[in-house]
Amino acid sequence: MVYINALCPHCGSNDVVYHGKNTNGKQRLLCRNAECSRKTFQLEYSYKACKPGVKQQIVEMALNGSGTRDTGRVLGISKDTVTAVLKKQKNFQNK
Ligand SMILES: [Zn+2]
């Protein structure tokens, strides 16, 4: 078995194996921890908004008064992605 020097970003387990490639040719990895909240992840993403933790960062920036375009510029993602993430938040609906 090939040893992979990577940790699962969701549970921190090092019990990961190669799990094919996505349509962009980036390597996918599978976490074999049965209690992990998500099963697969990638070490590098083509789109920065897909990285784990970026959505949480968008919400935190919005709560600290950053505008949509401001947040997009700082995180290097589209302002439309920022809007889409915020619209999905329960706390932002019906207000
Ligand atoms: Zn995991």
Side-chain angles (χ1 to χ4, degrees), residues 13-58:
S13 166
N14 62 359
D15 188 10
V16 293
V17 289
Y18 288 129
H19 195 61
K21 289 183 176 175
N22 75 0
T23 49
N24 293 321
K26 298 275 194 294
Q27 183 68 53
R28 296 180 77 211
L29 293 145
L30 173 75
C31 176
R32 297 206 294 183
N33 180 4
E35 285 146 35
C36 187
S37 59
R38 294 175 74 176
K39 285 175 185 161
T40 61
F41 62 96
Q42 290 170 215
L43 289 179
E44 55 170 326
Y45 288 86
S46 300
Y47 302 102
K48 288 178 186 168
C50 298
K51 269 186 193 168
V54 168
K55 284 177 184 167
Q56 182 61 35
Q57 238 177 331
I58 291 170

Side-chain angles (χ1 to χ4, degrees), residues 2-4 7 9 11-12 14 17 24-25 28 30 41 43 50 53 59 63 65 67 70 75-76 81 83 85 93 95:
V2 182
Y3 178 73
I4 304 162
L7 294 177
C11 67
N14 62 359
V17 289
N24 293 321
R28 296 180 77 211
L30 173 75
F41 62 96
L43 289 179
C50 298
V59 174
L63 292 174
D70 182 17
L75 299 177
T81 308
T83 308
V85 169
Q93 288 171 352
K95 281 185 183 174

Side-chain angles (χ1 to χ4, degrees), residues 48 54 57-58 61 66-83 86:
K48 288 178 186 168
V54 168
Q57 238 177 331
I58 291 170
M61 285 185 78
S66 293
T68 307
R69 286 172 292 177
D70 182 17
T71 305
R73 216 180 303 124
V74 170
L75 299 177
I77 59 178
S78 164
K79 62 180 168 51
D80 299 327
T81 308
V82 176
T83 308
L86 291 176

